[in-house]
Amino acid sequence: MAGGFGPTGGGGTEFEAKITPIVIISCIMAATGGLMFGYDVGVSGGVTSMPAFLKKFFPVVYEKTQEDKDSNYCKYDNQNLQLFTSSLYLAGLTATFFASYTTRKLGRRLTMLIAGVFFIIGTAFNAAAQDLAMLIVGRIMLGCGVGFANQAVPVFLSEIAPTRIRGGLNILFQLNVTIGILFANLVNYGTAKIKGGWGWRVSLGLAGIPAGLLTLGALFVVDTPNSLIERGHLDEGKAVLKRIRGTDNVEPEYLELVEASRVAKEVKHPFRNLLKRRNRPQLIIAVALQIFQQFTGINAIMFYAPVLFNTLGFGGDASLYSAVITGAVNVLSTIVSIYSVDKVGRRMLLLEAGVQMFLSQVVIAIILGIKVKDHSDNLEKGFAVFVVVLVCTFVSSFAWSWGPLGWLIPSETFPLETRSAGQSVTVCVNLLFTFVIAQAFLSMLCHFKFGIFLFFSGWVFIMSVFVLFLLPETKNIPIEEMTERVWKRHWLWKRFMDDDYDNVGAVTNGEKKNGVNNGFDPSSQL
């Protein structure tokens, strides 16, 4: 943990900024987008295990769950059922490209408002669904909301927060995701007990609460100074900057934002610009983080929890206990991340969690491989307690590392001219791989059995090596100074930085441009 707790060294600027109530309130309101996303993720797992829901929409799966022929690992292996879950991510993936345009042209606040409207429409369709088509349309609408919210919210949080607490405020998004999942699990447990088989409608309909909160929040928050200045509202941008920083001395930060906006306006095709040599480091890291986040195996652990808790003697309430315990660990560990991310740094959290996740998954695989067979759940109580501890160990390490940092790091590393496009690619890749895992996971579980934990632990090892060698530290560095203070000092990524890059940090630090155009170096390699 060398490097201490202060700003990272180097000739950058630490802007004057107080932690004002308007920033805290704006961030809490915006982060409700995460609450909606978390609720959608959590609720689908619960309703798909409700007999009444399966009987109405997925009769084939319902029949399988009533018979005892199938392996423990294969009961829910059905492509249509997986499509119900994964259609949301596919829709989000498509919507994020439109969201990139609205984030840039209409602002972060209006994009969050559009997301809220999509969420409300999707919730109405799902709660009133009469057939599978109506259900899928509702999921697609929710997916569009996820695409717009996941595009705008992390960028909004990174831009509005003062540099020294940017990481912590940004992680409010992920904290809300974990609270949303916990809330959905508790709701599912209650609605599953409703007589008459309409409990699933209540579960899907209650998504209206976070949807309404996000929509209201988007109406009341201020847009970010970066967005206002980028769209030409300079005076309003400066006024908002004074309000959110709690000081009139905002000139240095304001000038840096104006300069960043000038550079951004020169870029007519942000997506094409994203592929330029100097933007490859940010792009490679953003894409890699999203792929790695999905391949940590968090889904495998969450799926197994009810079986494991069942063996502890919780009986019919096993799913509640597993949901509450893993959900609570998830929430508490994300709070740990909020407090530590701007102190110990991003790299330290990811590397520590890598060791913790790798060991817990390997040990779980060994125990399940020896003790749990296809048609039995007979895990001895001592082993069961140990595995439950390992499950919580894994969930906690994910929740303070790959969970929140997979969203935080990309949102703070792209320069303004490619930030919307970069966030769009980030969300798109995340949703694409979430879709792949959601569509394939139950089939993978059926074929790999306990080996699925070894599969994911191998990925955890690969991603930890990636972090060790290729991910630079970004804590306490102003967003518009990343190129000068991070990328140009990294042992590998500095080779991708053009000497003539008209970077805001360079202007701020008074560094002269060379005028040499490296452009696309034919010898460059990704």
mmCIF file of all heavy atoms in Angstrom, residues 280-314:
data_model
loop_
_atom_site.group_PDB
_atom_site.id
_atom_site.type_symbol
_atom_site.label_atom_id
_atom_site.label_comp_id
_atom_site.label_asym_id
_atom_site.label_seq_id
_atom_site.Cartn_x
_atom_site.Cartn_y
_atom_site.Cartn_z
ATOM 1 N N ARG A 280 -6.284 3.482 -27.230
ATOM 2 C CA ARG A 280 -6.347 2.026 -27.078
ATOM 3 C C ARG A 280 -6.153 1.545 -25.633
ATOM 4 O O ARG A 280 -6.830 0.610 -25.218
ATOM 5 C CB ARG A 280 -5.320 1.352 -28.002
ATOM 6 C CG ARG A 280 -5.791 1.306 -29.442
ATOM 7 C CD ARG A 280 -4.842 0.487 -30.279
ATOM 8 N NE ARG A 280 -4.800 1.003 -31.638
ATOM 9 C CZ ARG A 280 -3.889 0.670 -32.519
ATOM 10 N NH1 ARG A 280 -2.924 -0.169 -32.203
ATOM 11 N NH2 ARG A 280 -3.917 1.162 -33.740
ATOM 12 N N PRO A 281 -5.239 2.129 -24.853
ATOM 13 C CA PRO A 281 -5.077 1.649 -23.474
ATOM 14 C C PRO A 281 -6.389 1.685 -22.683
ATOM 15 O O PRO A 281 -6.772 0.703 -22.053
ATOM 16 C CB PRO A 281 -4.041 2.596 -22.882
ATOM 17 C CG PRO A 281 -3.254 3.066 -24.058
ATOM 18 C CD PRO A 281 -4.241 3.167 -25.182
ATOM 19 N N GLN A 282 -7.095 2.862 -22.737
ATOM 20 C CA GLN A 282 -8.359 2.981 -22.007
ATOM 21 C C GLN A 282 -9.381 1.965 -22.518
ATOM 22 O O GLN A 282 -10.113 1.351 -21.740
ATOM 23 C CB GLN A 282 -8.959 4.394 -22.163
ATOM 24 C CG GLN A 282 -8.073 5.504 -21.652
ATOM 25 C CD GLN A 282 -7.257 6.130 -22.765
ATOM 26 O OE1 GLN A 282 -6.610 5.435 -23.543
ATOM 27 N NE2 GLN A 282 -7.272 7.457 -22.834
ATOM 28 N N LEU A 283 -9.407 1.793 -23.855
ATOM 29 C CA LEU A 283 -10.380 0.880 -24.463
ATOM 30 C C LEU A 283 -10.096 -0.570 -24.067
ATOM 31 O O LEU A 283 -11.005 -1.314 -23.675
ATOM 32 C CB LEU A 283 -10.337 1.031 -25.997
ATOM 33 C CG LEU A 283 -11.388 0.243 -26.778
ATOM 34 C CD1 LEU A 283 -12.793 0.701 -26.404
ATOM 35 C CD2 LEU A 283 -11.177 0.393 -28.286
ATOM 36 N N ILE A 284 -8.821 -0.964 -24.138
ATOM 37 C CA ILE A 284 -8.444 -2.344 -23.785
ATOM 38 C C ILE A 284 -8.806 -2.622 -22.324
ATOM 39 O O ILE A 284 -9.381 -3.663 -21.998
ATOM 40 C CB ILE A 284 -6.921 -2.569 -24.016
ATOM 41 C CG1 ILE A 284 -6.613 -2.564 -25.513
ATOM 42 C CG2 ILE A 284 -6.465 -3.897 -23.391
ATOM 43 C CD1 ILE A 284 -5.124 -2.472 -25.835
ATOM 44 N N ILE A 285 -8.481 -1.670 -21.440
ATOM 45 C CA ILE A 285 -8.745 -1.884 -20.010
ATOM 46 C C ILE A 285 -10.249 -1.912 -19.726
ATOM 47 O O ILE A 285 -10.733 -2.778 -18.999
ATOM 48 C CB ILE A 285 -8.005 -0.822 -19.168
ATOM 49 C CG1 ILE A 285 -6.545 -1.263 -19.038
ATOM 50 C CG2 ILE A 285 -8.642 -0.646 -17.793
ATOM 51 C CD1 ILE A 285 -5.626 -0.279 -18.424
ATOM 52 N N ALA A 286 -11.009 -0.992 -20.356
ATOM 53 C CA ALA A 286 -12.459 -0.964 -20.135
ATOM 54 C C ALA A 286 -13.114 -2.276 -20.583
ATOM 55 O O ALA A 286 -13.932 -2.853 -19.864
ATOM 56 C CB ALA A 286 -13.088 0.217 -20.882
ATOM 57 N N VAL A 287 -12.725 -2.760 -21.773
ATOM 58 C CA VAL A 287 -13.308 -3.995 -22.310
ATOM 59 C C VAL A 287 -12.893 -5.197 -21.453
ATOM 60 O O VAL A 287 -13.730 -6.034 -21.075
ATOM 61 C CB VAL A 287 -12.875 -4.203 -23.789
ATOM 62 C CG1 VAL A 287 -13.205 -5.606 -24.272
ATOM 63 C CG2 VAL A 287 -13.555 -3.166 -24.684
ATOM 64 N N ALA A 288 -11.604 -5.252 -21.110
ATOM 65 C CA ALA A 288 -11.101 -6.386 -20.309
ATOM 66 C C ALA A 288 -11.799 -6.452 -18.951
ATOM 67 O O ALA A 288 -12.196 -7.527 -18.496
ATOM 68 C CB ALA A 288 -9.594 -6.263 -20.123
ATOM 69 N N LEU A 289 -11.987 -5.288 -18.302
ATOM 70 C CA LEU A 289 -12.620 -5.275 -16.979
ATOM 71 C C LEU A 289 -14.052 -5.810 -17.033
ATOM 72 O O LEU A 289 -14.493 -6.523 -16.128
ATOM 73 C CB LEU A 289 -12.624 -3.855 -16.386
ATOM 74 C CG LEU A 289 -11.278 -3.298 -15.925
ATOM 75 C CD1 LEU A 289 -11.443 -1.893 -15.377
ATOM 76 C CD2 LEU A 289 -10.631 -4.184 -14.874
ATOM 77 N N GLN A 290 -14.770 -5.477 -18.110
ATOM 78 C CA GLN A 290 -16.163 -5.945 -18.223
ATOM 79 C C GLN A 290 -16.228 -7.457 -18.432
ATOM 80 O O GLN A 290 -17.054 -8.146 -17.839
ATOM 81 C CB GLN A 290 -16.892 -5.237 -19.383
ATOM 82 C CG GLN A 290 -16.941 -3.735 -19.277
ATOM 83 C CD GLN A 290 -17.231 -3.244 -17.880
ATOM 84 O OE1 GLN A 290 -18.246 -3.581 -17.287
ATOM 85 N NE2 GLN A 290 -16.337 -2.449 -17.327
ATOM 86 N N ILE A 291 -15.337 -7.975 -19.294
ATOM 87 C CA ILE A 291 -15.306 -9.422 -19.543
ATOM 88 C C ILE A 291 -14.929 -10.153 -18.249
ATOM 89 O O ILE A 291 -15.588 -11.107 -17.838
ATOM 90 C CB ILE A 291 -14.312 -9.765 -20.674
ATOM 91 C CG1 ILE A 291 -14.774 -9.134 -21.990
ATOM 92 C CG2 ILE A 291 -14.165 -11.278 -20.840
ATOM 93 C CD1 ILE A 291 -13.751 -9.199 -23.114
ATOM 94 N N PHE A 292 -13.874 -9.652 -17.596
ATOM 95 C CA PHE A 292 -13.396 -10.297 -16.368
ATOM 96 C C PHE A 292 -14.468 -10.277 -15.274
ATOM 97 O O PHE A 292 -14.626 -11.235 -14.531
ATOM 98 C CB PHE A 292 -12.122 -9.619 -15.868
ATOM 99 C CG PHE A 292 -10.908 -9.897 -16.727
ATOM 100 C CD1 PHE A 292 -9.860 -8.989 -16.783
ATOM 101 C CD2 PHE A 292 -10.814 -11.067 -17.467
ATOM 102 C CE1 PHE A 292 -8.728 -9.247 -17.561
ATOM 103 C CE2 PHE A 292 -9.691 -11.329 -18.243
ATOM 104 C CZ PHE A 292 -8.650 -10.423 -18.292
ATOM 105 N N GLN A 293 -15.199 -9.140 -15.165
ATOM 106 C CA GLN A 293 -16.224 -9.029 -14.114
ATOM 107 C C GLN A 293 -17.246 -10.161 -14.241
ATOM 108 O O GLN A 293 -17.665 -10.753 -13.250
ATOM 109 C CB GLN A 293 -16.938 -7.673 -14.210
ATOM 110 C CG GLN A 293 -17.875 -7.407 -13.045
ATOM 111 C CD GLN A 293 -18.778 -6.211 -13.280
ATOM 112 O OE1 GLN A 293 -19.560 -6.180 -14.233
ATOM 113 N NE2 GLN A 293 -18.675 -5.201 -12.420
ATOM 114 N N GLN A 294 -17.624 -10.488 -15.472
ATOM 115 C CA GLN A 294 -18.615 -11.551 -15.681
ATOM 116 C C GLN A 294 -18.028 -12.948 -15.466
ATOM 117 O O GLN A 294 -18.739 -13.894 -15.169
ATOM 118 C CB GLN A 294 -19.226 -11.443 -17.083
ATOM 119 C CG GLN A 294 -20.064 -10.199 -17.295
ATOM 120 C CD GLN A 294 -21.068 -9.975 -16.178
ATOM 121 O OE1 GLN A 294 -21.824 -10.871 -15.822
ATOM 122 N NE2 GLN A 294 -21.078 -8.773 -15.602
ATOM 123 N N PHE A 295 -16.698 -13.062 -15.648
ATOM 124 C CA PHE A 295 -16.064 -14.379 -15.524
ATOM 125 C C PHE A 295 -15.442 -14.621 -14.137
ATOM 126 O O PHE A 295 -14.621 -15.516 -13.986
ATOM 127 C CB PHE A 295 -15.022 -14.584 -16.638
ATOM 128 C CG PHE A 295 -15.636 -15.008 -17.945
ATOM 129 C CD1 PHE A 295 -16.039 -14.069 -18.876
ATOM 130 C CD2 PHE A 295 -15.845 -16.347 -18.223
ATOM 131 C CE1 PHE A 295 -16.628 -14.454 -20.071
ATOM 132 C CE2 PHE A 295 -16.430 -16.748 -19.418
ATOM 133 C CZ PHE A 295 -16.828 -15.799 -20.347
ATOM 134 N N THR A 296 -15.842 -13.802 -13.155
ATOM 135 C CA THR A 296 -15.388 -14.086 -11.784
ATOM 136 C C THR A 296 -16.108 -15.308 -11.228
ATOM 137 O O THR A 296 -15.614 -15.960 -10.313
ATOM 138 C CB THR A 296 -15.683 -12.897 -10.843
ATOM 139 O OG1 THR A 296 -17.062 -12.561 -10.982
ATOM 140 C CG2 THR A 296 -14.799 -11.698 -11.144
ATOM 141 N N GLY A 297 -17.317 -15.593 -11.778
ATOM 142 C CA GLY A 297 -18.093 -16.736 -11.288
ATOM 143 C C GLY A 297 -19.076 -16.379 -10.202
ATOM 144 O O GLY A 297 -19.591 -17.253 -9.502
ATOM 145 N N ILE A 298 -19.387 -15.085 -10.062
ATOM 146 C CA ILE A 298 -20.332 -14.658 -9.030
ATOM 147 C C ILE A 298 -21.686 -15.354 -9.211
ATOM 148 O O ILE A 298 -22.352 -15.709 -8.252
ATOM 149 C CB ILE A 298 -20.487 -13.104 -9.022
ATOM 150 C CG1 ILE A 298 -21.280 -12.621 -7.811
ATOM 151 C CG2 ILE A 298 -21.091 -12.589 -10.319
ATOM 152 C CD1 ILE A 298 -20.550 -12.698 -6.504
ATOM 153 N N ASN A 299 -22.081 -15.590 -10.485
ATOM 154 C CA ASN A 299 -23.365 -16.260 -10.748
ATOM 155 C C ASN A 299 -23.370 -17.690 -10.217
ATOM 156 O O ASN A 299 -24.365 -18.167 -9.681
ATOM 157 C CB ASN A 299 -23.663 -16.277 -12.248
ATOM 158 C CG ASN A 299 -23.905 -14.889 -12.786
ATOM 159 O OD1 ASN A 299 -24.543 -14.077 -12.136
ATOM 160 N ND2 ASN A 299 -23.367 -14.591 -13.953
ATOM 161 N N ALA A 300 -22.246 -18.394 -10.392
ATOM 162 C CA ALA A 300 -22.140 -19.784 -9.927
ATOM 163 C C ALA A 300 -22.326 -19.856 -8.417
ATOM 164 O O ALA A 300 -23.065 -20.692 -7.897
ATOM 165 C CB ALA A 300 -20.786 -20.358 -10.317
ATOM 166 N N ILE A 301 -21.669 -18.951 -7.707
ATOM 167 C CA ILE A 301 -21.760 -18.925 -6.241
ATOM 168 C C ILE A 301 -23.194 -18.625 -5.803
ATOM 169 O O ILE A 301 -23.745 -19.299 -4.940
ATOM 170 C CB ILE A 301 -20.795 -17.855 -5.669
ATOM 171 C CG1 ILE A 301 -19.346 -18.285 -5.861
ATOM 172 C CG2 ILE A 301 -21.097 -17.561 -4.216
ATOM 173 C CD1 ILE A 301 -18.842 -19.305 -4.880
ATOM 174 N N MET A 302 -23.805 -17.611 -6.424
ATOM 175 C CA MET A 302 -25.161 -17.211 -6.029
ATOM 176 C C MET A 302 -26.158 -18.347 -6.289
ATOM 177 O O MET A 302 -27.082 -18.565 -5.527
ATOM 178 C CB MET A 302 -25.603 -15.950 -6.788
ATOM 179 C CG MET A 302 -24.852 -14.704 -6.362
ATOM 180 S SD MET A 302 -25.087 -14.348 -4.596
ATOM 181 C CE MET A 302 -24.544 -12.662 -4.513
ATOM 182 N N PHE A 303 -25.964 -19.075 -7.393
ATOM 183 C CA PHE A 303 -26.867 -20.172 -7.727
ATOM 184 C C PHE A 303 -26.775 -21.291 -6.684
ATOM 185 O O PHE A 303 -27.766 -21.889 -6.307
ATOM 186 C CB PHE A 303 -26.525 -20.734 -9.111
ATOM 187 C CG PHE A 303 -27.389 -21.908 -9.502
ATOM 188 C CD1 PHE A 303 -28.623 -21.708 -10.108
ATOM 189 C CD2 PHE A 303 -26.984 -23.208 -9.253
ATOM 190 C CE1 PHE A 303 -29.421 -22.789 -10.463
ATOM 191 C CE2 PHE A 303 -27.782 -24.294 -9.603
ATOM 192 C CZ PHE A 303 -29.002 -24.086 -10.208
ATOM 193 N N TYR A 304 -25.560 -21.570 -6.222
ATOM 194 C CA TYR A 304 -25.344 -22.700 -5.320
ATOM 195 C C TYR A 304 -25.823 -22.445 -3.901
ATOM 196 O O TYR A 304 -26.115 -23.372 -3.154
ATOM 197 C CB TYR A 304 -23.848 -23.044 -5.271
ATOM 198 C CG TYR A 304 -23.598 -24.402 -5.824
ATOM 199 C CD1 TYR A 304 -22.943 -24.572 -7.027
ATOM 200 C CD2 TYR A 304 -24.061 -25.528 -5.153
ATOM 201 C CE1 TYR A 304 -22.743 -25.822 -7.550
ATOM 202 C CE2 TYR A 304 -23.863 -26.785 -5.667
ATOM 203 C CZ TYR A 304 -23.204 -26.934 -6.869
ATOM 204 O OH TYR A 304 -23.015 -28.173 -7.376
ATOM 205 N N ALA A 305 -25.910 -21.160 -3.522
ATOM 206 C CA ALA A 305 -26.192 -20.816 -2.127
ATOM 207 C C ALA A 305 -27.404 -21.542 -1.526
ATOM 208 O O ALA A 305 -27.293 -22.090 -0.425
ATOM 209 C CB ALA A 305 -26.332 -19.305 -1.991
ATOM 210 N N PRO A 306 -28.583 -21.606 -2.193
ATOM 211 C CA PRO A 306 -29.734 -22.278 -1.556
ATOM 212 C C PRO A 306 -29.463 -23.745 -1.214
ATOM 213 O O PRO A 306 -29.838 -24.211 -0.132
ATOM 214 C CB PRO A 306 -30.845 -22.158 -2.619
ATOM 215 C CG PRO A 306 -30.465 -20.972 -3.426
ATOM 216 C CD PRO A 306 -28.975 -20.977 -3.469
ATOM 217 N N VAL A 307 -28.804 -24.484 -2.127
ATOM 218 C CA VAL A 307 -28.504 -25.905 -1.863
ATOM 219 C C VAL A 307 -27.615 -26.032 -0.625
ATOM 220 O O VAL A 307 -27.846 -26.864 0.260
ATOM 221 C CB VAL A 307 -27.796 -26.548 -3.077
ATOM 222 C CG1 VAL A 307 -27.396 -27.993 -2.775
ATOM 223 C CG2 VAL A 307 -28.699 -26.511 -4.296
ATOM 224 N N LEU A 308 -26.610 -25.176 -0.557
ATOM 225 C CA LEU A 308 -25.659 -25.236 0.561
ATOM 226 C C LEU A 308 -26.344 -24.901 1.884
ATOM 227 O O LEU A 308 -26.144 -25.576 2.884
ATOM 228 C CB LEU A 308 -24.503 -24.261 0.318
ATOM 229 C CG LEU A 308 -23.665 -24.569 -0.925
ATOM 230 C CD1 LEU A 308 -22.695 -23.435 -1.203
ATOM 231 C CD2 LEU A 308 -22.909 -25.863 -0.759
ATOM 232 N N PHE A 309 -27.173 -23.866 1.873
ATOM 233 C CA PHE A 309 -27.842 -23.474 3.108
ATOM 234 C C PHE A 309 -28.896 -24.506 3.512
ATOM 235 O O PHE A 309 -29.174 -24.690 4.687
ATOM 236 C CB PHE A 309 -28.467 -22.084 2.960
ATOM 237 C CG PHE A 309 -27.467 -20.974 3.070
ATOM 238 C CD1 PHE A 309 -26.714 -20.583 1.973
ATOM 239 C CD2 PHE A 309 -27.239 -20.335 4.279
ATOM 240 C CE1 PHE A 309 -25.780 -19.566 2.071
ATOM 241 C CE2 PHE A 309 -26.302 -19.317 4.389
ATOM 242 C CZ PHE A 309 -25.565 -18.940 3.281
ATOM 243 N N ASN A 310 -29.465 -25.168 2.515
ATOM 244 C CA ASN A 310 -30.455 -26.205 2.778
ATOM 245 C C ASN A 310 -29.857 -27.323 3.636
ATOM 246 O O ASN A 310 -30.483 -27.848 4.543
ATOM 247 C CB ASN A 310 -30.950 -26.770 1.442
ATOM 248 C CG ASN A 310 -32.345 -27.362 1.572
ATOM 249 O OD1 ASN A 310 -33.013 -27.156 2.578
ATOM 250 N ND2 ASN A 310 -32.757 -28.109 0.577
ATOM 251 N N THR A 311 -28.601 -27.671 3.345
ATOM 252 C CA THR A 311 -27.942 -28.756 4.070
ATOM 253 C C THR A 311 -27.645 -28.379 5.521
ATOM 254 O O THR A 311 -27.332 -29.235 6.337
ATOM 255 C CB THR A 311 -26.627 -29.163 3.383
ATOM 256 O OG1 THR A 311 -25.786 -28.023 3.321
ATOM 257 C CG2 THR A 311 -26.868 -29.679 1.982
ATOM 258 N N LEU A 312 -27.702 -27.089 5.802
ATOM 259 C CA LEU A 312 -27.461 -26.658 7.188
ATOM 260 C C LEU A 312 -28.702 -26.839 8.060
ATOM 261 O O LEU A 312 -28.682 -26.523 9.240
ATOM 262 C CB LEU A 312 -27.053 -25.180 7.213
ATOM 263 C CG LEU A 312 -25.588 -24.891 6.886
ATOM 264 C CD1 LEU A 312 -25.365 -23.405 6.748
ATOM 265 C CD2 LEU A 312 -24.667 -25.458 7.951
ATOM 266 N N GLY A 313 -29.798 -27.326 7.455
ATOM 267 C CA GLY A 313 -31.005 -27.576 8.232
ATOM 268 C C GLY A 313 -31.984 -26.425 8.235
ATOM 269 O O GLY A 313 -32.881 -26.364 9.072
ATOM 270 N N PHE A 314 -31.824 -25.480 7.301
ATOM 271 C CA PHE A 314 -32.776 -24.367 7.231
ATOM 272 C C PHE A 314 -34.080 -24.788 6.551
ATOM 273 O O PHE A 314 -35.040 -24.042 6.526
ATOM 274 C CB PHE A 314 -32.175 -23.184 6.456
ATOM 275 C CG PHE A 314 -31.054 -22.502 7.171
ATOM 276 C CD1 PHE A 314 -29.924 -22.085 6.482
ATOM 277 C CD2 PHE A 314 -31.123 -22.271 8.533
ATOM 278 C CE1 PHE A 314 -28.878 -21.453 7.147
ATOM 279 C CE2 PHE A 314 -30.082 -21.627 9.199
ATOM 280 C CZ PHE A 314 -28.960 -21.224 8.506
#
